[in-house]
Amino acid sequence: MHVSLALKKRGDGVVGLDNFNNYYDPSLKRARRKVVESHGIFIVEGDINDAALLSKLFHMISFTHVMHLAAQAGVRYAMKNPSSYVHSNIAGLVTLLETCKSAEPQPAIVWASSSSVYGLNTKVPFSELDRTDRPASLYAATKKAGEEITHTYNHIYGLSITGLRFFTVYGPWGRPDMAYFSFTRDILAGKPITVYQGPKQIDLARDFTYIDDIVKGCLGSLDTAKKSTGSGGKKKGHAQYRIFNLGNTSPVTVPNLVSILEKLLKVKAKVNIVAMPGNGDVPFTHANISLAHKEFGYQPTTDLHAGLKKFVRWYLNFYGASADGVSRL
Ligand SMILES: NC(=O)c1ccc[n+]([C@@H]2O[C@H](COP(=O)([O-])OP(=O)(O)OC[C@H]3O[C@@H](n4cnc5c(N)ncnc54)[C@H](O)[C@@H]3O)[C@@H](O)[C@H]2O)c1
Ligand SMILES: O=C(O)[C@H]1O[C@H](OP(=O)(O)OP(=O)(O)OC[C@H]2O[C@@H](n3ccc(=O)[nH]c3=O)[C@H](O)[C@@H]2O)[C@H](O)[C@@H](O)[C@H]1O
């Protein structure tokens, strides 16, 4: 949503595609659709596995770029519904790449990988050159596989491809399954929240990255993603294959996230602290963002307090003062 609005605002033509699945409340997805369509962005309802639909779209429109964000997200849900990750993050990606390599001309592709590919790395901050062969979750493994699969489409068909490893993105219109969102909902409803703790009771920490900073990184990488040199599936010159971290400048612990929310919501949280279950979570993430900064000037400017303040303002407006998680729009 945010990327498409930013592209439209600067004058780009934008067409979106989403299958509006029910991983979380589809009414939130449809509310986003209303916002983007009110700005003249057309959203096609469909699945990236629908090769015929993609082919029809690419015959109708000569896309110069593809910003591929469609995926089954969420680290912990992979243990409940593994096939959804294969469907969207592997099969769906390949279907999209097959369409792009045959397109005339081939679009430059920028797609969302994930900080989770760093898996069980302990060297921080994570650099793009660090090992990524020990994913801790199926989600992470599908994103790592995506990086390997996109590399082959660059190598064989000359597709220009950039992978962006986002680090725990949050902000207005975000995802209800993520901690910042579900904690806000439950704290306001007076329900207990569960805070996971790592080995030896260490606090878990994330490089929480505000959505507006991520959008700037996406547009920066789109602008520097040189168009492919191939056309119609035939490789010509050497096209770009790039990977960048898009994170923040310093990680914040989950207990600190909770205390910021308590202050913003003016409600004391009821916290159950439990040992981090073996659910694919990693104790911490922290990005080295120097490569994205050097290549396209990526520089996050929103710290967690400022970002959560904007998120809470949106949340109370969208769900209303009762904030019971039911949209009033
Ligand atoms: N939010 C984060 O913290 C974070 C961090 C790292 C990477 N990412 C990646 O960024 C991208 C966007 O994530 P998000 O957090 O906005 O999640 P999201 O679930 O809100 O957005 C993904 C969208 O893709 C759609 N979708 C899923 N499978 C599809 C399919 N097969 N066909 C068509 N549409 C499909 C969903 O309906 C959803 O609207 C994802 O690729 C995710 O893995 C997110
Ligand atoms: O950067 C990524 O690539 C990933 O970012 C995001 O994953 P995470 O960083 O795990 O975000 P999130 O679930 O908000 O948990 C935040 C913290 O709260 C802890 N957490 C979580 C839930 C809970 O009930 N209690 C708790 O302590 C939890 O253990 C963690 O320490 C995306 O969801 C995912 O799609 C992926 O893309």
Side-chain angles (χ1 to χ4, degrees):
M1 168 185 180
H2 297 273
V3 174
S4 61
L5 289 172
L7 289 168
K8 184 72 185 174
K9 197 167 159 207
R10 72 173 194 182
D12 291 14
V14 182
V15 173
L17 179 133
D18 196 304
N19 68 1
F20 294 91
N21 67 45
N22 60 2
Y23 170 53
Y24 58 79
D25 180 2
S27 69
L28 174 56
K29 300 182 180 185
R30 295 195 185 282
R32 291 181 195 137
R33 177 183 202 163
K34 266 165 73 175
V35 173
V36 296
E37 289 189 335
S38 70
H39 286 80
I41 296 166
F42 184 61
I43 303 288
V44 176
E45 186 156 348
D47 198 297
I48 52 173
N49 282 284
D50 185 342
L53 172 63
L54 294 185
S55 173
K56 210 161 135 191
L57 270 176
F58 275 75
H59 274 98
M60 285 162 65
I61 303 166
S62 295
F63 294 104
T64 57
H65 294 78
V66 170
M67 179 81 232
H68 174 43
L69 298 170
Q72 175 57 65
V75 169
R76 295 173 295 280
Y77 181 63
M79 295 179 73
K80 293 196 182 110
N81 185 358
S83 56
S84 177
Y85 292 77
V86 177
H87 174 82
S88 295
N89 304 3
I90 305 284
L93 174 66
V94 170
T95 307
L96 178 65
L97 291 169
E98 281 293 308
T99 307
C100 292
K101 62 104 170 158
S102 307
E104 288 277 356
Q106 290 178 337
I109 300 166
V110 175
W111 71 288
S113 181
S114 157
S115 74
S116 61
V117 302
Y118 291 108
L120 302 172
N121 275 5
T122 51
K123 179 183 88 59
V124 283
F126 299 154
S127 151
E128 291 85 351
L129 298 175
D130 290 344
R131 63 185 295 187
T132 54
D133 58 348
R134 295 177 302 169
S137 65
L138 176 64
Y139 167 75
T142 63
K143 286 297 184 178
K144 174 62 186 170
E147 293 184 359
E148 313 287 20
I149 290 168
T150 50
H151 184 271
T152 65
Y153 278 80
N154 165 267
H155 171 68
I156 298 171
Y157 301 107
L159 274 173
S160 161
I161 301 180
T162 301
L164 300 177
R165 293 172 179 168
F166 296 165
F167 281 67
T168 309
V169 182
Y170 73 100
W173 299 98
R175 275 185 18 223
D177 62 310
M178 290 181 68
Y180 77 96
F181 202 122
S182 62
F183 286 176
T184 299
R185 183 191 58 228
D186 293 345
I187 290 170
L188 283 170
K191 290 184 188 156
I193 63 173
T194 304
V195 171
Y196 300 134
Q197 244 181 7
K200 303 192 190 76
Q201 281 79 44
I202 58 150
D203 290 333
L204 303 186
R206 287 290 185 274
D207 224 2
F208 293 100
T209 312
Y210 188 62
I211 182 62
D212 288 359
D213 289 323
I214 291 287
V215 168
K216 282 186 273 182
C218 289
L219 267 59
S221 58
L222 278 164
D223 291 343
T224 53
K226 291 189 181 56
K227 281 185 52 41
S228 305
T229 52
S231 65
K234 289 182 285 308
K235 179 177 175 180
K236 291 206 179 84
H238 182 70
Q240 283 174 331
Y241 178 80
R242 309 183 301 174
I243 297 266
F244 296 103
N245 288 335
L246 292 188
N248 211 329
T249 48
S250 58
V252 177
T253 67
V254 178
N256 275 340
L257 163 73
V258 174
S259 61
I260 294 171
L261 285 175
E262 288 177 315
K263 291 186 185 71
L264 290 171
L265 298 170
K266 301 184 180 60
V267 179
K268 187 92 183 89
K270 293 171 185 156
V271 181
N272 295 326
I273 294 182
V274 303
M276 181 170 91
N279 58 9
D281 255 334
V282 292
F284 55 80
T285 65
H286 179 19
N288 174 336
I289 55 174
S290 55
L291 188 59
H293 181 73
K294 175 171 153 279
E295 181 72 14
F296 45 82
Y298 175 70
Q299 187 56 51
T301 56
T302 306
D303 67 24
L304 187 60
H305 185 275
L308 285 177
K309 193 170 175 188
K310 292 177 183 174
F311 166 71
V312 166
R313 189 179 310 132
W314 168 83
Y315 185 94
L316 293 175
N317 176 52
F318 185 74
Y319 288 110
S322 67
D324 55 6
V326 176
S327 163
R328 297 288 186 279
L329 267 194

